[in-house]
Amino acid sequence: MPTALITGATSGIGAAFARRLAADAFSLVLVARDELRLIRTADQLKLRYGVPVEVLPADLATDEGLAKVEARLRDGVDLLINNAGFGNPGHFPDVPVEREARMLKVHCEAVLRLTLAALPGMRERERGAIVNVASVAAFFTRGTYSASKAWVVNFSESAAAELRDPRIKIMALCPGFVRTEFHQRASMDSSAIPGFMWLKADDVVRDAMRDLALGKRVSIPDLRYKAVVAIGRLIPRSVQAMVSQRIGR
């Protein structure tokens, strides 16, 4: 039975990955800050899918939390889903630097450290995969959130290129707007986002697993967002920034 470790596993895209991988008969290691919610999620998955589920409470914004997850990864996993993340309420440069640094810790340092912790075992077994959850925002200029996700995309592509091993896959997943708890937790008003632009977390995961199997290094779920990114690449960066700021505010 292969093993998958998922960060941010109790809600949204992380929970959707947990359901999909449990259905595919993966043994799961679920990582999140809320231990009670982790236990509840694990119990539900074990009852529904009959797979082993391990819970690992950890705050990836702390060195202690990162070290706990790194240690578990060194024991060996077949699939790592770096999904944990959040958005800060407010706009640059009004957000306190402590919150900005916390975001970079989770979005960038955690992705780097957990990837490096997982790779030795994967290389020894000559198989494995890592999915780093980024965002369509990575392709546009929208504050420090999009900047951190741009790093995730660049890092994932660079790591895959440096590794040069088709048996070990590293992919950045770049969804658009997904109906999760993300916007509520960040105190973001999402009422202006058109209904047709929202994606379902389970659909995002389905597309991600398909693209991972195909060996893609960047996955953009849904034709709507593929078109958004393609058009965005044709627009001057200054115009991109102006449009992004107006939409964001």
Side-chain angles (χ1 to χ4, degrees):
M1 179 178 287
T3 300
L5 185 146
I6 307 166
T7 68
T10 56
S11 65
I13 293 174
F17 266 113
R19 292 190 296 270
R20 167 60 188 265
L21 295 172
D24 289 345
F26 273 75
S27 172
L28 301 178
V29 182
L30 307 184
V31 178
R33 290 181 298 168
D34 188 334
E35 184 172 5
L36 291 178
R37 195 171 184 185
L38 270 175
I39 293 171
R40 186 163 58 247
T41 301
D43 288 343
Q44 292 170 351
L45 290 167
K46 286 186 282 189
L47 181 63
R48 181 173 180 181
Y49 299 103
V51 297
V53 184
E54 177 184 343
V55 299
L56 183 56
D59 184 352
L60 299 184
T62 68
D63 286 329
E64 180 185 5
L66 281 171
K68 286 173 61 177
V69 183
E70 285 174 313
R72 178 59 184 85
L73 288 168
R74 292 189 187 104
D75 287 339
V77 300
D78 300 282
L79 175 60
L80 167 61
I81 309 293
N82 277 315
N83 168 72
F86 61 92
N88 281 320
H91 304 280
F92 182 84
D94 301 324
V95 177
V97 67
E98 295 81 9
R99 290 186 181 179
E100 296 285 26
R102 182 180 177 87
M103 177 189 287
L104 292 178
K105 185 93 169 178
V106 174
H107 289 185
C108 301
E109 183 180 340
V111 169
L112 171 66
R113 288 176 57 171
L114 299 188
T115 296
L116 288 172
L119 278 176
M122 292 180 179
R123 297 178 77 178
E124 183 178 346
R125 294 187 303 277
E126 299 183 341
R127 70 178 188 278
I130 298 171
V131 176
N132 297 321
V133 179
S135 169
V136 161
F139 304 103
F140 300 91
T141 52
R142 181 66 186 92
T144 51
Y145 178 83
S146 67
S148 68
K149 292 303 187 180
W151 184 91
V152 173
V153 174
N154 194 307
F155 166 72
S156 300
E157 291 186 283
S158 299
E162 290 287 333
L163 197 60
R164 295 194 298 269
D165 188 340
R167 297 164 298 185
I168 301 173
K169 301 173 182 177
I170 302 178
M171 184 183 80
L173 172 60
C174 302
F177 295 115
V178 184
R179 293 205 180 276
T180 67
E181 300 174 5
F182 177 88
H183 294 88
Q184 294 91 328
R185 287 183 173 182
S187 301
M188 296 178 182
D189 181 7
S190 58
S191 60
I193 301 170
F196 68 88
M197 294 302 291
W198 288 99
L199 304 177
K200 295 179 180 178
D202 289 325
D203 293 340
V204 168
V205 170
R206 178 200 62 211
D207 290 355
M209 295 302 293
R210 178 200 62 207
D211 288 345
L212 185 66
L214 292 173
K216 293 187 178 182
R217 293 181 179 176
V218 178
S219 171
I220 304 173
D222 196 90
L223 289 174
R224 288 166 287 184
Y225 284 102
K226 286 181 171 64
V228 167
V229 172
I231 293 170
R233 285 172 171 160
L234 301 175
I235 298 173
R237 299 289 283 183
S238 59
V239 177
Q240 275 191 31
M242 179 183 67
V243 173
S244 294
Q245 290 299 320
R246 287 185 177 179
I247 292 173
R249 294 179 188 274

